């Protein structure tokens, strides 16, 4: 480890890794350090609640690049290093080991930490998040001895984990505080479909219920989850999937402007000189959210913001305005989402959910702003184009799955 690099990237997740890759792809010749607190090389996070959790893919197959890639590109990969402070005047970061590293440009790509439930018993030894490889390894180590699993949170990660556990023969209960699963990210149609699907597969879904207490035994192991509706669920393991808290502490302490995430401009620059923020931890004005300042938690956003920051370091002056997209795999259902449904006023179901091939179109002021496509790749591809074109579409035709989206008339 040197005491100075031209570019220091904090975080070895999708965003940090892509920033280092993009710098080299663009011909950047300065020294680059890619450092993070996880003890393993950069890997894909989505399989943690999918194939990796299911034991279908070993860790080597979810690495973002082969291990020797980084050294071959002269990217110094520093794992097991946590940044605890940033000095924007001195242009240095301090590690938990007290060592300092100077930089010319700093890219903050520290992602987020799982938000954990806060109630009596929430420090139970068999309560886990699904955020890091180490979380999933701790879960799978115990799986053989586990029969009943409670998943707190009916978002994508909780539901994906529920699907895998069910496939593995576990008895799964999902507890969601809102009226429906996926309430934060999708419309009623999609929520209803996924709720029905999980129930059909044997998952118990309890909505509008809060966890009051986790009942533990003398060894500190959770044995039951007590809900505010009076129900008690016997459990051998708890998975907490209630979102993340953006990892911004050292940057905010250094004076960066931010709230839920570090604020960045269109080039991913923070309010501090020569410091960028990208990925899950960065809040930006998003064109597809009517300019609202938001954080996006997706691989697309992490990669595209990484490319934007690298381009800015290379003086290419690119502004980030990529259309958001996302995916989720549950059972044999491949969901692809494009656009942002924030503030939609009309929801149109395209096709019959019973056939397990349908899309949900979200419109604002007659214009298509987002699509959730379940096992309908064509809708996803054509819908993406329609969102970008921004025309008002004929809603009756849009509701007819036999009419390809690209042939839907302009209203
Ligand atoms: C289980 C799961 C499933 C997902 N599925 C999908 C999906 O299907 N599709 C999709 O698009 N997105 C999915 N996502 C979201 C996607 O993985 C994230 O949006 C993406 O990983 C964000 O990348 P990032 O680099 O910003 O942050 P992260 O991937 O969180 O990486 C940040 C890294 O920085 C490290 N770090 C944090 N603080 C410090 C510090 N102070 N010093 C040093 N290192 C630090 C962290 O340990 C971490 O390694 C999923 C996420 C999870 C957890």
């Amino acid at each position: 480890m040197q005491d100075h690099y031209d570019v220091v990237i904090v975080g070895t997740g999708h965003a940090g890794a892509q920033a280092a890759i993009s710098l080299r792809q663009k011909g950047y010749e300065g020294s680059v350090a890619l450092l993070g607190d996880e003890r393993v090389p950069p890997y894909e996070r989505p399989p943690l609640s999918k194939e990796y959790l299911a034991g279908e893919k070993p860790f080597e197959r979810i690495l973002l690049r082969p291990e020797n890639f980084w050294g071959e590109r002269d990217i110094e990969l520093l794992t097991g290093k946590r940044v605890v402070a940033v000095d924007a005047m001195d242009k240095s970061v301090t590690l938990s080991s007290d060592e300092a590293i100077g930089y010319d440009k700093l890219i903050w790509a520290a992602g987020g930490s799982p938000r954990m439930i806060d109630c009596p018993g929430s420090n139970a030894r068999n309560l886990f998040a699904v955020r890091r490889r180490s979380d999933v390894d701790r879960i799978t180590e115990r799986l053989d001895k586990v029969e009943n699993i409670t998943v707190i949170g009916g978002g994508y990660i909780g539901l994906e984990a529920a699907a895998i556990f069910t496939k593995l023969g576990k008895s799964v209960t999902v507890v969601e505080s809102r009226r429906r699963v996926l309430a934060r990210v999708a419309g009623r149609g999609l929520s209803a479909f996924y709720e029905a699907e999980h129930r059909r597969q044997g998952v118990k879904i309890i909505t509008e219920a809060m966890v009051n207490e986790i009942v533990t035994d003398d060894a500190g192991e959770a044995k039951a989850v007590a809900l505010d509706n009076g129900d008690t669920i016997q459990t051998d393991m708890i998975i907490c999937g209630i979102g993340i808290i953006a990892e911004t502490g050292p940057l905010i302490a250094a004076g960066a402007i931010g709230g839920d995430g570090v604020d960045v401009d269109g080039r991913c620059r923070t309010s501090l000189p020569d410091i960028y923020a990208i990925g899950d931890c960065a809040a930006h004005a998003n064109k597809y959210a009517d300019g609202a300042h938001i954080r996006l938690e997706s691989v697309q956003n992490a990669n595209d913001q990484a490319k934007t920051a690298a381009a800015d370091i290379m003086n290419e002056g690119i502004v980030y305005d990529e259309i958001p997209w996302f995916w989720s795999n549950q059972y044999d259902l491949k969901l692809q989402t494009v656009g942002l449904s924030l503030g939609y006023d009309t929801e149109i179901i395209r096709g019959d959910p019973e056939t397990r091939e349908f899309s949900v179109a979200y419109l604002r002021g007659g214009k298509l702003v987002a699509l959730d496509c379940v096992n309908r790749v064509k809708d996803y591809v054509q819908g993406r184009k329609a969102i970008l074109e921004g025309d008002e579409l004929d809603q009756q035709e849009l509701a007819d799955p036999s009419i390809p989206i690209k042939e839907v008339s302009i209203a």
Side-chain angles (χ1 to χ4, degrees), residues 15 37-38 45 50 83 110 131-132 280 297-299 327:
D37 59 1
E38 291 189 79
R45 226 164 271 286
K50 307 178 182 74
V83 170
R131 181 75 195 176
R132 294 171 164 220
D280 282 13
E297 295 170 17
S298 69
V299 170
W327 75 95

Side-chain angles (χ1 to χ4, degrees), residues 24-344:
R24 289 297 183 232
Q25 278 173 343
K26 289 174 184 294
Y28 184 73
E29 287 178 355
S31 54
V32 176
L34 173 58
L35 71 90
D37 59 1
E38 291 189 79
R39 295 188 179 278
V40 288
Y43 60 93
E44 293 173 58
R45 226 164 271 286
L48 294 184
S49 52
K50 307 178 182 74
E51 304 93 322
Y52 187 69
L53 179 63
E56 289 164 4
K57 268 193 187 173
F59 186 64
E60 296 64 48
R61 280 191 54 210
I62 66 168
L63 287 177
L64 279 169
R65 292 290 186 279
E67 274 199 64
N68 55 1
F69 173 92
W70 310 100
E72 283 171 1
R73 305 284 179 304
D74 205 11
I75 295 164
E76 184 140 13
L77 178 62
L78 300 166
T79 55
K81 310 251 181 256
R82 184 163 179 84
V83 170
V84 291
V86 174
D87 188 331
M89 302 303 282
D90 186 45
K91 293 189 133 187
S92 66
V93 297
T94 305
L95 306 182
S96 53
S97 57
D98 250 4
E99 294 158 292
I101 303 175
Y103 63 80
D104 286 345
K105 307 273 184 194
L106 176 67
I107 302 181
W108 189 260
S113 302
R115 185 187 299 280
M116 296 309 279
I117 182 129
D118 183 17
C119 68
S122 57
N123 58 353
R125 292 170 52 201
N126 50 346
L127 184 151
F128 304 100
V130 186
R131 181 75 195 176
R132 294 171 164 220
R133 182 227 180 161
S134 53
D135 296 326
V136 179
D137 288 349
R138 283 161 61 222
I139 293 169
T140 48
E141 252 168 43
R142 286 173 166 246
L143 267 185
D144 277 355
K145 295 178 220 103
V146 164
E147 225 172 273
N148 301 303
I149 302 181
T150 306
V151 176
I152 304 175
Y156 282 123
I157 291 175
L159 292 183
E160 286 182 348
I164 299 290
F165 292 139
T166 304
K167 243 169 73 178
L168 295 175
K170 310 298 173 192
S171 167
V172 183
T173 305
V174 174
V175 180
E176 165 58 48
S177 62
R178 302 203 198 195
R179 292 176 89 167
R180 56 188 176 92
V181 300
L182 301 176
R184 197 171 61 89
V185 286
R188 281 175 217 292
L190 200 79
S191 298
F193 172 75
Y194 274 101
E195 274 184 31
E197 177 64 18
H198 278 276
R199 290 200 169 109
R200 204 172 64 80
Q201 300 276 358
V203 176
K204 190 168 177 204
I205 295 192
I206 304 174
T207 53
E208 291 185 86
M210 300 280 285
V211 174
N212 263 357
E213 186 187 349
I214 291 166
V215 184
T216 52
D217 64 10
D218 291 346
E221 297 266 333
K223 290 287 157 197
V225 175
L227 305 182
D228 62 353
N229 63 9
D231 283 359
T232 299
I233 309 160
Q234 300 306 315
T235 198
D236 307 315
M237 183 188 272
I238 302 173
I239 303 295
C240 188
I242 56 172
I244 62 164
I245 299 167
E247 276 286 350
T248 61
L251 268 198
I252 298 291
I257 295 173
D260 175 22
V262 182
D263 289 356
V264 295
D265 66 9
R267 296 187 194 176
C268 297
R269 297 176 298 194
T270 68
S271 58
L272 296 173
D274 295 314
I275 302 184
Y276 298 82
I278 56 175
D280 282 13
C281 66
H284 63 282
N286 192 292
K287 172 173 154 186
Y288 297 91
D290 257 355
H293 227 64
I294 56 168
R295 278 192 313 104
L296 286 176
E297 295 170 17
S298 69
V299 170
Q300 170 275 318
N301 178 66
N303 283 339
D304 288 334
Q305 287 196 325
K307 290 174 192 165
T308 305
D312 201 65
I313 289 173
M314 297 300 284
N315 292 316
E316 289 175 13
I318 292 175
V319 170
Y320 175 68
D321 65 355
E322 296 300 321
I323 186 165
W325 55 265
F326 184 83
W327 75 95
S328 172
N329 301 339
Q330 296 167 50
Y331 310 108
D332 59 339
L333 303 167
K334 287 206 180 317
L335 169 74
Q336 292 169 292
T337 291
V338 60
L340 291 176
S341 58
L342 293 175
Y344 69 92

